[in-house]
Amino acid sequence: MLKKIFLASDHGGYALKELVKVFLIRKKHTIEDLGCFSLDAVDYPDYAKLLSENLKTEPYSQGILFCGTGIGISMAANRYSHIRAALCTSVEMASKSRKHNNANVLALGGRIITDSLAIDIVHEFFKTNFEAGRHSLRVNKI
Ligand code: RB5
């Protein structure tokens, strides 16, 4: 099963999406960019929905959502029952969101974190596995 990383952003996350996309391609990940494709203003719930719909058809895939803060787009994505989107502002949060919460979507704020921190967070998120065990019981209760 091909594991893909879907990317989606609003205008506030567009620049960071483009930067992270280059990083993921260099690391040989298979990615699909769902937009947006410019700095023109768009509504972040539309892009959260698009990514969530794509993940529903490819449940082994993962995603990254970007907006200005990461807040709105993660809120919107977490309305979908198959999405566990983690808004991360540190490498530690990225690590724990995978180990403990089995997050399938990373959310980042393009106007909040530096480019280099964003890359470190992305690297950590995609190299870290769910620890399962006692955490499975809790994740299953969400
Ligand atoms: C758009 O200006 C901004 O509100 C959006 O990117 C995001 O930060 C919302 O949570």
Side-chain angles (χ1 to χ4, degrees):
M1 182 111 18
L2 179 67
K3 198 170 149 182
K4 196 188 279 183
I5 301 174
F6 291 103
L7 306 177
S9 76
D10 75 352
H11 53 292
Y14 171 74
L16 187 57
K17 171 172 70 66
E18 294 305 299
L19 182 115
V20 167
K21 183 164 68 177
V22 170
F23 170 77
L24 291 173
I25 291 169
R26 277 206 197 116
K27 290 284 176 188
K28 310 271 186 247
H29 288 285
T30 302
I31 63 120
E32 186 172 338
D33 186 354
L34 302 170
C36 65
F37 297 108
S38 80
L39 288 169
D40 294 345
V42 293
D43 298 333
Y44 57 80
D46 298 336
Y47 288 87
K49 181 177 186 214
L50 193 56
L51 185 135
S52 301
E53 286 171 348
N54 274 273
L55 271 189
K56 187 136 208 177
T57 60
E58 296 191 35
Y60 292 100
S61 291
Q62 292 169 299
I64 315 180
L65 289 169
F66 309 79
C67 70
T69 58
I71 295 172
I73 206 157
S74 59
M75 283 180 164
N78 278 319
R79 303 295 297 194
Y80 300 87
S81 61
H82 62 293
I83 300 296
R84 290 175 306 282
L87 171 56
C88 296
T89 55
S90 73
V91 171
E92 174 73 5
M93 289 172 79
S95 171
K96 288 295 194 303
S97 76
R98 290 289 307 126
K99 286 181 181 170
H100 291 189
N101 313 112
N102 199 16
N104 55 356
V105 174
L106 171 65
L108 296 174
R111 297 171 180 158
I112 299 293
I113 54 173
T114 63
D115 291 351
S116 111
L117 177 56
I119 295 299
D120 290 346
I121 288 172
V122 168
H123 180 66
E124 186 72 20
F125 188 88
F126 290 103
K127 80 173 173 65
T128 306
N129 292 317
F130 182 42
E131 282 180 352
R134 69 187 191 281
H135 302 296
S136 295
L137 288 167
R138 296 162 185 165
V139 169
N140 288 339
K141 285 188 175 186
I142 295 177

